[in-house]
Amino acid sequence: MEDKTTQDDEITAIKSIYEEEDIFAFDEEKRTGKFFVKIIPLNETIPFNVNLPDEKLELKVFNLPPILLEFKLPDNYPSVNPPDFKLSSRWLNNSNLGKLCQKLDELWEQNSQIPILFTWISFLNDEIFDYLSIDQQNLIIENDNSIKTDARAFVETCSSKLLINYDTDQQEIKFNKSYFQCFVCFCDKLGKDCLKFNKCNHVFCNDCMRGYFESLIFDGNVKKLNCPQEKCESQALPSQVLSLVGEEIFKRYDSLLLKDALNNMLDIVYCPRANCQCAVIPEDTTLCRCPDCKNVFCALCRQTYHGIEPCKITSHELKEIVEIYKNGDAEAREKLVLKYGERRIKQAVEETSSMNLIESTSKKCPQCRSWMQKLDGCNKMTCSKCNCYFCWLCLDQLSKADPYSHYNRENSKCFEKLFEGVYQNDREAANENHFNQDQESDEDDEDEDDEDEFEDEHIIFELLDRL
Ligand SMILES: [Zn+2]
Ligand SMILES: [Zn+2]
Ligand SMILES: [Zn+2]
Ligand SMILES: [Zn+2]
Ligand SMILES: [Zn+2]
Ligand SMILES: [Zn+2]
């Protein structure tokens, strides 16, 4: 009876000490109990450096799996016998675990007939590294095939995965219980209401981060779901995003992420139809057939497939691509090749060189804005698209009734400039034609056919309807 009371008092005392943590359990009926000995580094800021020769791995952890002390209190404890016990560990070997069993025996010998559990727990908590001379910075954990040195020692299996998972869980538990000041709103909040970015360990409160992520996702800015700390590049994990923004917004985020990933894959183009946007692999340099909506489009300009017709990609876009490809660093070029595919880049380079030629000989009609090219001929132009007359030099629209007055009147800014800029050979040819034309015109000013014939000689044609 005396022993039973002593036992109950001891159990109550231990329970009260470790109440907060879920590491002690006792079964009143069976008189059996468990104590999980937490293993943290001597200096809490310096992690254990663990060597796993079996996996050829080295890793750092702040928490090692606990050593488990299981015990059964005999009726005559503590007056006669010590508790029966066994020790198990995932990271101590047979030899060391055996030494610990013997040390517990020793402690009982030194303190017999008084409650020993707390003494044992204190020893296991505080002294095992010293007692076993284990270096926390070179802790070797390997498969132990040695024969048991003590029947009460149990070595459990261990792996890097297990160590990492345990450490991650423990760090999370610790984080959730700690207070942090949010760098955005400067409120002090419990870790469980905060988000910690993985690489930089910057902490912000969930309320601030939810709003921040949601606005970035709505803007389609999924690549920039990073730490809001200035110049910090740490990315939020998708799981962190999900826990904050909820299913609906996360779906949008997820599809944007996928799109981004696919965009960076070789030769994948998105169907330009707003309600489709299916990923398409081009069949040749530019031909894309959407498997979903059957849209057939050009990989470069994303417009309806135009065969051998010139591509409608804007000259600005095309030039930018070529500019980066020609002058960009290796990384920029690689990104470009990933995005458009090597063949398409080469095609773009070819297209721009002909486009440069086109642009030096092309101007926009002042009325309809169509691109017009002037290969030779005088400066009085006729737009092939809208049939208006305009001056190649000043781009003024000219009188339909008397377009040449622009070059004949002394007060005109293009006085006597009908042939300015025209090559000598062209000029002579054109002059002759004009002379003939003028004569014909004298005969019949209203002759439409003659007028058309005259315009043909200008070799004006529409090029790229880029607007
Ligand atoms: Zn905040
Ligand atoms: Zn950061
Ligand atoms: Zn489609
Ligand atoms: Zn195109
Ligand atoms: Zn026009
Ligand atoms: Zn002019």
Side-chain angles (χ1 to χ4, degrees), residues 174-291:
K174 189 183 169 196
F175 174 81
N176 285 341
K177 287 181 185 168
S178 312
Y179 276 92
F180 296 91
Q181 191 182 58
C182 169
F183 289 174
V184 172
C185 64
F186 298 108
C187 295
D188 287 320
K189 303 220 176 169
L190 264 179
K192 71 179 178 61
D193 299 318
C194 290
L195 181 146
K196 181 167 81 176
F197 282 88
N198 245 12
K199 281 190 184 139
C200 61
N201 289 340
H202 290 138
V203 177
F204 303 87
C205 82
N206 285 345
D207 293 333
C208 290
M209 283 304 93
R210 186 176 298 115
Y212 174 66
F213 287 163
E214 283 178 357
S215 68
L216 286 176
I217 294 168
F218 276 122
D219 292 346
N221 221 340
V222 290
K223 265 190 158 172
K224 292 217 170 106
L225 251 49
N226 52 6
C227 173
Q229 190 80 354
E230 218 183 323
K231 289 182 181 157
C232 190
E233 298 279 292
S234 301
Q235 296 270 326
L237 301 172
S239 57
Q240 292 178 314
V241 178
L242 173 62
S243 72
L244 284 189
V245 302
E247 283 284 347
E248 246 348 272
I249 299 171
F250 184 78
K251 263 188 209 157
R252 176 172 158 79
Y253 164 72
D254 206 35
S255 72
L256 286 169
L257 266 189
L258 177 70
K259 186 170 166 177
D260 195 66
L262 286 174
N263 233 337
N264 285 321
M265 278 169 62
L266 190 64
D267 281 342
I268 282 189
V269 181
Y270 285 89
C271 173
R273 286 201 178 140
N275 55 359
C276 177
Q277 305 195 6
C278 178
V280 183
I281 298 164
E283 290 176 22
D284 67 12
T285 323
T286 57
L287 173 62
C288 297
R289 229 183 277 271
C290 175

Side-chain angles (χ1 to χ4, degrees), residues 11 14-15 18 21-26 34-36 71:
I11 296 298
I14 294 173
K15 266 187 184 165
Y18 298 103
E21 300 158 273
D22 198 15
I23 55 176
F24 179 68
F26 185 72
K34 286 178 179 179
F35 187 89
F36 293 93
F71 59 86

Side-chain angles (χ1 to χ4, degrees), residues 164-175:
I164 291 166
N165 285 347
Y166 180 78
D167 188 45
T168 308
D169 288 351
Q170 290 302 308
Q171 289 201 49
E172 192 184 319
I173 291 168
K174 189 183 169 196
F175 174 81

